[in-house]
Amino acid sequence: MRREKKERLIRETIRIGKIIPGGMGLGENMAGKKVMLFNTLPGEVVAEFLVTKEKTHYIEGVATEFLEKAEERVMPQDECYLSTSPFQMMNYRTELSLKEEMIRELFRKIETPEILPLKTDGNEFYYRNKMEYSFWYDIETGQNSLAFHRRGSHQKIIVEKSSIERKEIFVRAQEILAEMNARGEDSRKYQSLMLRCNQNGEISGGIFEKRKSHPDFSKLSDTILGRRFYYSANGFFQVNLPVYEMALLEISQYIGEEEVLDLYAGVGTIGLSVAKNKVKLVEVDKNAYAEMVENVAEFSGAEAVLARAEEVTDFVRMEQTVILDPPRAGCDEKLIARLNEVVPGRIIYLSCNPATQVRDIERLLAKYKIVKIQPFNFFPKTVHIENLVVLERR
């Protein structure tokens, strides 16, 4: 496959001490500079690595050769695993253990209760209900292939097999690819192919063209804890519903008859699934809000609000449970300040980025104590962790 630029390989012995949050193994080179490498496990000795980023005080890259390998290393299912799911090269028990250690590392600086073992449904592969593929066009043959971007690079790798999305999605992607090739199309005019399926295997989505607005695809629906939710194929919706339901059941244990304020609510799946009485749901994305309005129609005590969470801080009241499920950047400082001012009885914080979650929680600890930390493996074989923290007023 054609290279966009010359790859830089370094032959140097690097001993990996631990896996850091973000999924890279940490070591040092002979000059004492930190070296952080994907495709490594604790105790391994790297002989060669591909550089993806180099700064004054550290290097990032991908290990390509080893002097010593860990016993926990296994053969990945996919050649493209470094692009999509770099933890394919370790056994599942090791993945769970390393992710638990990442959470402990992040929360080490603040006083916490015991961090509970990572919850999982045990399903390592074929769980994602959404996948977006790039394309590769072969000039010599005129044939198109599915592709992913190489980790840390703008280069692409052709995808012959992919094992983290549901099987129905990859089958449909190959069908669309075959149709394109039969028509003699040039995929360079396309941005990507996005497909999503529900728990029944019904598929929606399609091709995004470059420099054109994304099309509206047919909506899907799924039942979560007995309630039906509608959502668009190219909008925000959880990618691993069985494990998401496990998290919702955990959250529901901390919800009584009090009003619930669900901030960063998306299409409303958390608040509408766990609230027993009144719930106010706040979402800034207009498309997600429109879907949330449809979802609240059958819930008499629900109110949908189109706004930024930090713009409706007057909604925060003392006798509430506040649910936070922010994007990776975490919560806005204005919202944190308002929570500290009003001090609702309970805050339930579900995060896809425990690093920003810890930052936000640290600002709340003068008024709140942590009563539970429960991580979930929403994204097996990837470096990502979903973490649930329950805080109660002191």
Side-chain angles (χ1 to χ4, degrees):
M1 186 179 293
R2 185 179 60 194
R3 304 291 190 210
E4 294 183 6
K5 62 180 181 179
K6 186 177 180 180
E7 295 179 338
R8 184 182 171 210
L9 290 167
I10 293 180
R11 293 200 64 84
E12 187 172 5
T13 301
I14 307 292
R15 182 173 293 276
I16 302 301
K18 63 179 180 179
I19 304 296
I20 59 176
M24 291 183 285
L26 178 64
E28 286 188 356
N29 64 12
M30 293 295 291
K33 180 184 284 191
K34 287 183 179 179
V35 180
M36 296 174 284
L37 301 175
F38 280 106
N39 194 33
T40 57
L41 285 164
E44 292 189 324
V45 180
V46 177
E48 180 185 86
F49 60 93
L50 171 66
V51 176
T52 57
K53 180 190 291 186
E54 183 165 9
K55 299 292 184 180
T56 304
H57 301 294
Y58 68 90
I59 300 173
E60 292 182 4
V62 178
T64 54
E65 287 188 23
F66 297 87
L67 295 176
E68 298 178 22
K69 290 185 178 181
E71 292 181 359
E72 297 81 5
R73 181 175 285 273
V74 298
M75 180 65 68
Q77 286 199 183
D78 305 327
E79 289 188 12
C80 63
Y81 76 100
L82 286 172
S83 298
T84 62
S85 42
F87 281 4
Q88 279 195 34
M89 53 70 178
M90 66 181 75
N91 64 51
Y92 198 46
R93 183 179 65 255
T94 299
E95 175 187 339
L96 298 179
S97 176
L98 286 176
K99 287 183 172 180
E100 289 169 11
E101 180 56 35
M102 288 181 204
I103 295 293
R104 285 192 289 270
E105 176 87 9
L106 287 167
F107 279 83
R108 188 162 285 136
K109 60 182 178 180
I110 60 179
E111 184 177 349
T112 67
E114 177 188 3
I115 296 173
L116 296 170
L118 200 71
K119 280 196 172 183
T120 171
D121 65 351
N123 185 19
E124 303 176 49
F125 295 99
Y126 307 112
Y127 63 88
R128 282 189 64 94
N129 61 28
K130 181 183 180 182
M131 184 62 87
E132 188 165 352
Y133 308 90
S134 294
F135 290 110
W136 174 263
Y137 180 73
D138 190 314
I139 298 174
E140 294 181 359
T141 65
Q143 293 292 292
N144 304 287
S145 299
L146 299 175
F148 290 126
H149 284 93
R150 290 179 182 270
R151 182 166 292 277
S153 169
H154 294 296
Q155 300 174 17
K156 293 180 180 179
I157 180 172
I158 288 176
V159 177
E160 302 289 350
K161 178 177 177 290
S162 182
S163 303
I164 63 168
E165 68 270 53
R166 287 179 57 121
K167 292 180 180 179
E168 301 97 322
I169 292 177
F170 193 65
V171 168
R172 180 59 186 143
Q174 291 175 308
E175 290 173 350
I176 292 172
L177 183 70
E179 293 165 4
M180 290 172 59
N181 283 328
R183 294 192 298 266
E185 290 204 47
D186 183 341
S187 62
R188 289 176 293 183
K189 68 179 181 181
Y190 298 127
Q191 176 185 324
S192 60
L193 167 64
M194 189 283 301
L195 295 172
R196 180 162 229 152
C197 76
N198 61 15
Q199 293 299 95
N200 292 328
E202 298 166 327
I203 294 179
S204 181
I207 294 173
F208 296 149
E209 291 192 50
K210 292 179 179 177
R211 295 175 290 279
K212 288 189 178 181
S213 299
H214 290 179
D216 292 325
F217 300 117
S218 59
K219 286 186 179 180
L220 295 167
S221 69
D222 267 302
T223 299
I224 301 175
L225 297 188
R227 183 177 291 277
R228 176 69 60 177
F229 289 93
Y230 297 90
Y231 56 94
S232 62
N234 49 343
F236 176 79
F237 199 71
Q238 288 290 348
V239 301
N240 189 340
L241 290 188
V243 184
Y244 184 50
E245 284 194 315
M246 295 170 69
L248 292 176
L249 287 171
E250 194 76 38
I251 291 171
S252 67
Q253 296 177 26
Y254 293 89
I255 305 293
E257 297 300 320
E258 75 280 6
E259 181 183 74
V260 172
L261 176 62
D262 184 359
L263 300 172
Y264 312 98
V267 301
T269 51
I270 300 181
L272 293 175
S273 294
V274 303
K276 297 177 175 63
N277 194 355
K278 293 179 66 177
V279 57
K280 194 186 299 285
L281 306 107
V282 179
E283 173 56 42
V284 66
D285 182 85
K286 291 181 180 179
N287 294 323
Y289 170 76
E291 291 161 18
M292 181 167 65
V293 169
E294 186 175 359
N295 291 326
V296 303
E298 298 180 8
F299 194 111
S300 59
E303 178 185 355
V305 179
L306 177 63
R308 295 182 184 275
E310 62 271 20
E311 293 173 350
V312 291
T313 55
D314 56 323
F315 289 168
V316 179
R317 300 187 180 93
M318 181 176 288
E319 299 309 317
Q320 274 180 336
T321 290
V322 176
I323 295 174
L324 305 173
D325 185 17
R328 292 188 62 80
C331 297
D332 187 273
E333 290 184 10
K334 292 179 183 177
L335 175 59
I336 298 295
R338 181 63 173 171
L339 292 170
N340 276 321
E341 178 186 356
V342 178
V343 197
R346 182 177 292 115
I347 298 173
I348 297 173
Y349 193 150
L350 184 66
S351 174
C352 61
N353 186 358
T356 54
Q357 183 186 43
V358 170
R359 177 204 66 198
D360 293 341
I361 288 172
E362 199 169 10
R363 298 168 180 167
L364 294 166
L365 290 181
K367 302 290 180 69
Y368 289 90
K369 62 179 179 180
I370 300 173
V371 298
K372 173 166 275 191
I373 301 177
Q374 177 63 73
F376 292 87
N377 205 19
F378 276 29
F379 317 102
K381 300 305 176 188
T382 77
V383 303
H384 302 295
I385 312 168
E386 195 84 8
N387 194 46
L388 175 67
V389 177
V390 180
L391 303 106
E392 292 185 349
R393 185 168 54 215
R394 290 187 183 275

